[in-house]
Amino acid sequence: MVKMLRGRYQPQKLIGRGGFGRTYLALDSDRLNAPCVIKQFAPQTKGTKAFNKAVELFNQEAVRLHDLGEHVQIPALLAYFEHDHFLYLVQQFIDGKTLIQEVLESGPMDEHSIRDLLLDILPVLDFIHRHNVIHRDITPTNLIRRDTDRRLFLIDFGVAKHFGEALSEAAPGTRIGTEGYAPIEQLRGGQAYPCSDLYSLGATCLHLLTGCKPEKLYDHMAGNWRWQDVLAQQSRSVSPELTAVLDRLVMDAVGERFVDAPAVLAALDSSPTFRGNVPGWVRQHPESQAATPTAPQPDSVAVPTQNSVAVPTIDAQIPQTSPPPATATAPAPTPLPTPATPALAMPVTAPDPVKAPDRPAESDNWQCVRVLSGHQSWVTAVAFNPRSATLVSGSLDDTIKVWDLQTGAQMVTLQGHPRGVNDLRISTKGQVLVSCGDDGTVKVWNLSAGRLIHTLEGHARDVTSVTIGHKGWILASGSKDKTIKLWKLDKGTAIRTLLGSPAAVRAVAMMPDESTLFSGGLDNKVRQWDLKTGEMIRFFSGHVSPINDVAVSTDGLFVVSASKDKTLVVWSVGTGSIIHVLKGHNQEVNSVEIAPDNRTIVSGSNDRTVKVWDARTGTLLHTLLGHSHVVSAIAIHRTGRLIASASADKTIRVWRLGGN
């Protein structure tokens, strides 16, 4: 293998080989040494029928990826060329595990995980089918979950065909696809339809659900699937609604299957078990009335002062049992049970209200007043400095940038994390910055001097989230290693490790008085921790998918969680019951913040929007449009009149209430 291909791609190590080629992990010097994958076509023999077919398939993968264009869940085609009589295909590197690897390590998936898989991959299949491409080889090994954001990717388009070609008669004896996952029309005649990919997806789900390969789940004598019997032997089951969807996906007859991916999504959405997965009523402002156009960019941003905000007053208390508005049809939420373990249980008292100070008139609009550009990759974290007109951002390009809000200029670039930055926080006095990243460390910076003070080591995997108490003494970090660590912020020393989370921790948020911590992660639950004892107090259960972020109000009365299930849930801290379920995003919600008025909630989502909610009523007030990619992080200025949103489009947008 040459040291440098095309003066750009530097192979690092061999990660796979087959009869006709090898696959290498490489670095792309033109993209800040970003990792990529190089597929080298290097057959041992030439001139045979098998060789000619291999050349065709290798060329075909490049052509299909090029024809499809860009999709966030398909590895991007970076280059395709010939060098020294070898063919090379360069693709985006997806750092993660295949779904078969996940099952081998963690065991079979449950119903919620299978449903999430379907909701995640079906839109990808709809995309490729609308481009008249049939994948023809969907298996657990061709689905990879990226570590950084838990997003699923569909890979290996080596046998993909245009729809017309996939329907043509294949040569006798042609077998396209993987045994057990490919439907009968592919294996017998080489023909494939959109519903052929759906069959393979269904067989993949059955494998992941049971832990058994499809060929062991099909009774050839009886001519039917016995996957439910296998589940019963494992003392497990799934709902009748999901059973009906999976059974229809893997029907032998083409005409009895779902016709396309949207039909499967419609079946999932209409199933009573899946509708309203989170208990409680939903209050939603129509999005058609909430959209706010992006304003032209002025030369500067007027940063509001604390004096420009009215002195808050407390509205009448809103009891948990107050009836929903006339437009709501679901019953009022009921308190959630506390954990069964007596030591963790807390007494259930009267529901806490969300107290509502006065707020600016709802007719005021949020307008984008500045777009900050300079990062070379996804912007994953953002925070306002409470003591100066500056903003700090972190990115997967491994840098932290400090921005002047008045001019939009980059002031400082901090480099210290050798891998992507996942989260950051600024102390209430504006002097200390804390960041964390994929390198498994937490870093403490002197923000005014731009100097690294401490590097905190101890986590075994990526650190996903950090939080600082208002007193500025305690720092908490959450990690994929399933632990939360507490540190002394001034000395950079460890206090204790909080154990008990059964899955990776994605988010942590601390009470202002530094007495209590809230965490969320891949187990779909919000957990409440006593920081003095290190014990878990209770968990809040209601989400059906992993939690991406949590935020706690400054008055300590309520917590908001953002989830991959496309919802936000407002929880009462006092009782653990649900106050509101916020629905309006049409893709997973990545970030949530609560304004200092304890009345305004702001969220960012994969649907590229920022949404502003009323915490007291649960209504959607505004939808902010402008980002061209996933919104990954949100920050709110201490005055409550500025919002910053960070995005995978490599920009930060600053929004101001009133716009002028």
Side-chain angles (χ1 to χ4, degrees), residues 398-400 414-426 432-447 451-457 459 463 465-468 475-477 487-489 492:
D398 309 339
T399 69
I400 298 168
L414 305 178
Q415 295 180 318
H417 289 284
R419 297 179 63 189
V421 178
N422 291 326
D423 196 16
L424 52 82
R425 289 291 184 271
I426 301 174
V432 177
L433 169 71
V434 176
S435 62
C436 65
D438 287 346
D439 59 355
T441 71
V442 177
K443 294 185 181 291
V444 182
W445 309 78
N446 181 320
L447 190 52
R451 179 173 56 86
L452 181 62
I453 304 173
H454 304 298
T455 295
L456 312 182
E457 298 179 338
H459 283 294
V463 185
S465 182
V466 288
T467 184
I468 307 173
L475 159 68
S477 57
W487 316 81
K488 290 184 179 179
L489 185 58

Side-chain angles (χ1 to χ4, degrees), residues 65 69-76 92 94 116-125 127-128 142-146 149-157 378 564 587-588 606 629-630:
L65 290 171
E70 292 190 4
H71 188 283
V72 293
Q73 289 172 266
I74 298 174
Q92 173 190 5
I94 308 303
D116 288 344
L117 163 61
L118 290 169
L119 294 177
D120 216 0
I121 287 299
L122 284 167
V124 184
L125 291 185
F127 171 81
I128 69 171
N142 284 337
L143 293 170
I144 296 180
R145 196 187 307 278
R146 184 163 61 187
D149 57 7
R150 307 297 295 167
R151 171 170 282 176
L152 282 177
F153 280 73
L154 178 61
I155 66 169
D156 198 349
F157 283 73
W378 288 36
K564 191 175 179 179
Q587 294 188 41
E588 67 179 279
N606 275 13
H629 211 317
V630 169

Side-chain angles (χ1 to χ4, degrees), residues 18 48 55 65 73 94 174 215 242 299 334 352 386 399 475 558 561:
T48 64
V55 172
L65 290 171
Q73 289 172 266
I94 308 303
T174 299
E215 52 264 36
L242 182 61
D299 292 333
T334 55
D352 287 339
T399 69
L475 159 68
F558 67 98
S561 53

Side-chain angles (χ1 to χ4, degrees), residues 81-96:
F81 54 88
E82 183 178 352
H83 181 87
D84 286 344
H85 307 293
F86 290 108
L87 294 176
Y88 293 94
L89 186 152
V90 185
Q91 282 184 283
Q92 173 190 5
F93 172 63
I94 308 303
D95 187 9

Side-chain angles (χ1 to χ4, degrees), residues 292-298 301 365-372 624-627 642-643 645 651-660:
T292 302
T294 302
Q297 308 304 310
V301 177
N365 285 329
W366 289 91
Q367 295 186 9
C368 182
V369 291
R370 186 165 297 286
V371 178
L372 307 177
L624 312 184
L625 307 174
H627 282 296
L642 289 179
I643 295 171
S645 55
T651 71
I652 304 106
R653 285 181 174 259
V654 180
W655 314 81
R656 186 168 60 213
L657 186 61
N660 297 317

